[in-house]
Amino acid sequence: MKRLRTQVGIVGAGPAGLLLGRMLHLEGIDSIILENRTRDYVVGRVRAGVLEQGTVDLLHQVGLGERLQREGLRHCGIHLGFKRRRHRIPFDELTGGRSITVYGQNELVTDLIAARLGTEQPLYFDVRDVCVSGFDSAPRIAFHLADEECEIACDFIAGCDGGHGVCRPSMLATAAQVYEREYPFAWLGMLAGTPPSCEELVYALHDRGFALFSMRSPSITRLYLQCAPHEDIDDWSDARIWDELTERLETADGWRPNRGRILQKGITGMRSLVVEPMRCGRLFLAGDAAHIVPPTGAKGLNLAVADVQRLARALAKYYHNGREDLLDRYSDECLRRVWSVQRFSWWMTSMLHRVPDGSEFDYRRQLAELDYVTTSRAAMTCLAENYTGLPFDAEGLASKS
Ligand SMILES: Cc1cc2nc3c(=O)[nH]c(=O)nc-3n(C[C@H](O)[C@H](O)[C@H](O)COP(=O)(O)OP(=O)(O)OC[C@H]3O[C@@H](n4cnc5c(N)ncnc54)[C@H](O)[C@@H]3O)c2cc1C
């Protein structure tokens, strides 16, 4: 067996694990990152694309802002569409200049992997049989790399292995609790090789259900539509997808998404989930391993970044100052933000989706809510400040002082 030793063993090379590795490296703290997929798979995975202001600021602070600044699309608002009209919510005006940036998660992961590979810190792809243990006293991570049996001894384990990893179930074998909610609908998401026909995102509620117009670059449009959770993607021909999107998004002034070649499509179920607490001894969960939000509020990736920012700072205080108080507060402080974001994501989801057995009463109430949100400055401000992201902890990055 190959025996390895590090300070922090990180399971998962998604945004949470890679960013944690980056922040620890900047603090002079060693880590080993384990990922059970190949590098190509991780980089090619199309998921989130909206970065909150605080996420963008943090990426700049950790030296990952260059390509983001050049290629990211800064948006100062979104549109809400209903009754065949679009209504703009001007984030910058309502929040004192805050904005969001559209930059694909796969682009961010590409940057993070390149930054990691530029250091001596290990990142192993394609590992198998990862198993975490000993987190009450002497943490261990066992795994296979090629056919070799390996074990890492470490001070802490960061469970950043997403919604289907091994760290959450290991935590749940202890006293942790799960709070969850399934939604009776899913999103059909697709990527089209066509220039976006609107510069900002359009969230629409239609009699036939929700639709979202979004983009990844000046030549790639990203679109979503509400569908039933167990639908087969093969039942959705490209023509059917375009017809349905056009029907739900088109406005009376003639605006509609540009049609083009569909490059990728898939169906994802929607749920909310929170694990409490997010720590058990020396095992800390971060990102989707600890919580899942429905994507309507564009929060999953941003929430992962907020967790990591706290965890990196707490570990830095531990190693540089011998202080454990930030580690002790990690779970409570993260969960405060997690529940706030759960509330916002649930609210956006409830306002914009048609429930399969919902009544006409429900639909009319949703339309009345959209009418209020797009006409009351107070309601628009509430949406804008949550969408652009509540400020990260004022202490910012870890400091050695
Ligand atoms: C299919 C899908 C589509 C999404 N679309 C959107 C969207 O459109 N908009 C939006 O805002 N959010 C979206 N999200 C949410 C967003 O992508 C996540 O919140 C974000 O990826 C969280 O980052 P993470 O690093 O915590 O988890 P992940 O990105 O899931 O990373 C976890 C990593 O751990 C690895 N891993 C898993 N198990 C193991 C193991 N046993 N050993 C080692 N490694 C392991 C995984 O391969 C993965 O690379 C989507 C999520 C999914 C799953």
Side-chain angles (χ1 to χ4, degrees), residues 123-178:
L123 161 55
Y124 299 121
F125 288 102
D126 219 3
V127 303
R128 285 179 295 110
D129 311 325
V130 174
C131 177
V132 296
S133 62
F135 33 88
D136 44 352
S137 54
R140 293 273 185 279
I141 311 177
F143 62 102
H144 281 93
L145 182 60
D147 282 328
E148 192 171 21
E149 214 178 307
C150 308
E151 187 183 75
I152 302 173
C154 48
D155 301 332
F156 298 99
I157 299 173
C160 302
D161 49 348
H164 304 284
V166 295
C167 292
R168 185 198 298 161
S170 303
M171 178 91 100
L172 292 177
T174 69
Q177 287 278 318
V178 174

Side-chain angles (χ1 to χ4, degrees), residues 235-390:
D235 293 336
W236 285 87
S237 67
D238 291 4
R240 182 180 171 206
I241 293 175
W242 281 120
D243 289 348
E244 194 62 38
L245 282 165
T246 305
E247 173 89 25
R248 296 187 196 182
L249 286 163
E250 189 171 30
T251 44
D253 59 7
W255 177 80
R256 49 159 71 181
N258 290 329
R259 289 189 179 218
R261 197 161 69 86
I262 295 184
L263 307 172
Q264 210 183 84
K265 57 185 174 185
I267 292 176
T268 311
M270 289 177 75
R271 61 184 178 142
S272 304
L273 179 148
V274 181
V275 177
E276 286 196 19
M278 289 168 56
R279 171 194 186 176
C280 175
R282 290 175 166 259
L283 169 63
F284 291 79
L285 298 185
D288 275 20
H291 37 67
I292 306 284
V293 285
T296 327
K299 292 292 171 215
L301 170 58
N302 294 294
L303 205 48
V305 169
D307 291 347
V308 163
Q309 188 254 3
R310 274 188 199 289
L311 187 53
R313 194 178 68 229
L315 289 167
K317 283 282 180 235
Y318 173 83
Y319 283 110
H320 300 315
N321 307 87
R323 278 174 52 185
E324 293 197 27
D325 53 323
L326 268 66
L327 290 171
D328 291 342
R329 296 207 305 265
Y330 170 77
S331 176
D332 285 350
E333 291 186 351
C334 285
L335 285 167
R336 190 163 170 237
R337 185 180 187 92
V338 168
W339 280 111
S340 163
V341 164
Q342 286 287 6
R343 183 207 66 80
F344 176 68
S345 302
W346 165 85
W347 173 70
M348 287 282 283
T349 303
S350 315
M351 179 169 68
L352 288 162
H353 290 75
R354 290 219 65 183
V355 181
D357 55 0
S359 63
E360 254 325 283
F361 178 92
D362 292 330
Y363 184 45
R364 280 160 202 280
R365 181 189 49 72
Q366 286 173 290
L367 292 173
E369 184 154 19
L370 282 163
D371 193 14
Y372 174 63
V373 168
T374 52
T375 49
S376 153
R377 191 173 174 90
M380 278 195 270
T381 305
C382 175
L383 190 155
E385 72 177 11
N386 279 280
Y387 199 96
T388 55
L390 300 171

Side-chain angles (χ1 to χ4, degrees), residues 11-17 34-37 42 45-49 105 127 130 160-166 187 216 222 224 268 286-289 295 298-301 304:
V11 186
L34 301 178
E35 166 60 48
N36 67 352
R37 300 287 194 159
V42 170
R45 205 161 37 190
V46 176
R47 288 185 171 178
Q105 179 170 326
V127 303
V130 174
C160 302
D161 49 348
H164 304 284
V166 295
W187 276 15
R216 284 295 182 269
R222 177 99 167 125
Y224 302 89
T268 311
D288 275 20
K299 292 292 171 215
L301 170 58

Side-chain angles (χ1 to χ4, degrees), residues 8-155:
V8 183
I10 301 176
V11 186
L18 289 165
L19 181 61
L20 180 63
R22 172 75 184 169
M23 294 181 74
L24 293 179
H25 173 66
L26 294 178
E27 291 286 352
I29 300 166
D30 289 337
S31 64
I32 296 177
I33 305 180
L34 301 178
E35 166 60 48
N36 67 352
R37 300 287 194 159
T38 63
R39 180 178 176 181
D40 285 350
Y41 182 91
V42 170
V43 164
R45 205 161 37 190
V46 176
R47 288 185 171 178
V50 172
L51 306 185
E52 291 176 357
Q53 175 91 49
T55 299
V56 171
D57 294 345
L58 182 68
L59 292 171
H60 279 285
Q61 285 177 54
V62 299
L64 290 167
E66 198 197 322
R67 196 162 74 98
L68 167 64
Q69 176 79 24
R70 204 173 55 243
E71 296 178 17
L73 309 170
R74 182 168 175 262
H75 288 190
C76 294
I78 56 166
H79 298 265
L80 295 181
F82 59 100
K83 291 187 179 168
R84 304 196 71 220
R85 286 191 59 202
R86 276 182 297 160
H87 305 258
R88 186 167 186 267
I89 312 284
F91 293 159
D92 49 347
E93 224 177 284
L94 295 161
T95 62
R98 291 174 76 78
S99 60
I100 52 159
T101 298
V102 173
Y103 191 66
Q105 179 170 326
N106 53 325
E107 304 299 342
L108 174 59
V109 165
T110 301
D111 297 346
L112 283 161
I113 290 175
R116 178 77 180 186
L117 297 180
T119 69
E120 300 291 298
Q121 299 281 301
L123 161 55
Y124 299 121
F125 288 102
D126 219 3
V127 303
R128 285 179 295 110
D129 311 325
V130 174
C131 177
V132 296
S133 62
F135 33 88
D136 44 352
S137 54
R140 293 273 185 279
I141 311 177
F143 62 102
H144 281 93
L145 182 60
D147 282 328
E148 192 171 21
E149 214 178 307
C150 308
E151 187 183 75
I152 302 173
C154 48
D155 301 332

